[in-house]
């Protein structure tokens, strides 16, 4: 629904973006992304639109489809095998570096076995069970409960966030943009897990074509209530690294 409103606004000559500059006066260091983090601007809502998109724009005839997680986008940057930055999306070029908090979240290892400079794109999320657990603790401490999972995930920006609360958040790897060989994309995700670091959590990317992508979308629509993390659609990534949602 939001995407439809965005497109309507664009037709009226009004630009609406979910990418916003880091807030002025933020206590965090604003840091440039190792690799830009733009949003996914290509949106389809039915099988006809999807077919027209792939036929007209040449997005690609094969690729990978996955859940589109509804959380907080964050870039993990590793240098010489150690976590150097954890940068929120911000305006896509720079964002707040919340590394001191992010390192306590599940799925954020402080060291990896690869000493190259790595940019790993994640979505920071919280399960319904962990949100309930967090709210129980907050209520017992006399603090206000979170009404939504998005608000709970945003606590990574709080400098007073407790380690116990941060450990209830999970960073799920959704992209490895440093992958130079598009055909190796899916294997690169698995390589992160097999690198000896078991704390990485990655989204399942299923090889498919556009027809398969729409079938996956339909199956997700039927079963989304069974997924432990909040979703706002599915994402298709073609072999050239282009995205549609």
């Amino acid at each position: 629904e939001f995407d439809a409103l965005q497109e309507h606004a664009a037709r009226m000559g009004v630009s609406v973006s979910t990418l916003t500059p880091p807030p002025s006066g933020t206590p965090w260091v604003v840091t440039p992304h190792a690799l830009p983090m733009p949003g996914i601007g290509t949106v389809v809502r039915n099988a006809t639109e999807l077919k027209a998109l792939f036929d007209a724009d040449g997005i690609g005839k094969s690729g990978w489809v996955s859940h589109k997680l509804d959380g907080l986008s964050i870039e993990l940057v590793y240098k010489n095998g150690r976590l150097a930055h954890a940068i929120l999306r911000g305006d896509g070029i720079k964002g707040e570096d919340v590394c001191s908090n992010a390192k306590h979240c599940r799925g954020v290892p402080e060291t990896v076995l690869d000493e190259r400079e790595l940019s790993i794109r994640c979505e920071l999320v919280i399960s319904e069970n962990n949100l309930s657990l967090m709210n129980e603790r907050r209520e017992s401490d006399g603090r206000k409960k979170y009404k939504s999972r998005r608000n709970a995930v945003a606590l990574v920006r709080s400098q007073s966030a407790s380690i116990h609360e941060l450990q209830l958040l999970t960073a799920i790897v959704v992209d490895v943009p440093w992958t130079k060989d598009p055909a190796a994309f899916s294997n690169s995700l698995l390589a992160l897990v097999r690198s000896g670091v078991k704390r990485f959590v990655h989204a399942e990317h299923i090889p498919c074509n556009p027809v398969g992508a729409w079938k996956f979308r339909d199956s997700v629509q039927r079963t989304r209530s069974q997924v432990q993390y909040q979703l706002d659609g599915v994402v298709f990534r073609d072999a050239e690294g282009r995205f549609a949602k």
Side-chain angles (χ1 to χ4, degrees), residues 68-109:
K68 186 175 186 297
L69 298 164
D70 186 16
L72 202 62
S73 296
I74 190 168
E75 179 193 37
L76 305 181
V77 180
Y78 290 85
K79 297 181 179 180
N80 298 318
R82 299 196 64 83
L83 180 66
H85 306 287
I87 310 169
L88 299 181
R89 171 172 279 169
D91 62 5
I93 302 300
K94 59 184 180 304
E96 296 166 284
D97 188 350
V98 296
C99 187
S100 60
N101 275 353
K103 68 182 182 181
H104 298 297
C105 301
R106 179 171 177 256
V108 183

Side-chain angles (χ1 to χ4, degrees), residues 21-33 87 90-91 93-97:
S24 59
T26 175
W28 300 99
V29 176
V30 175
T31 304
H33 287 290
I87 310 169
D91 62 5
I93 302 300
K94 59 184 180 304
E96 296 166 284
D97 188 350

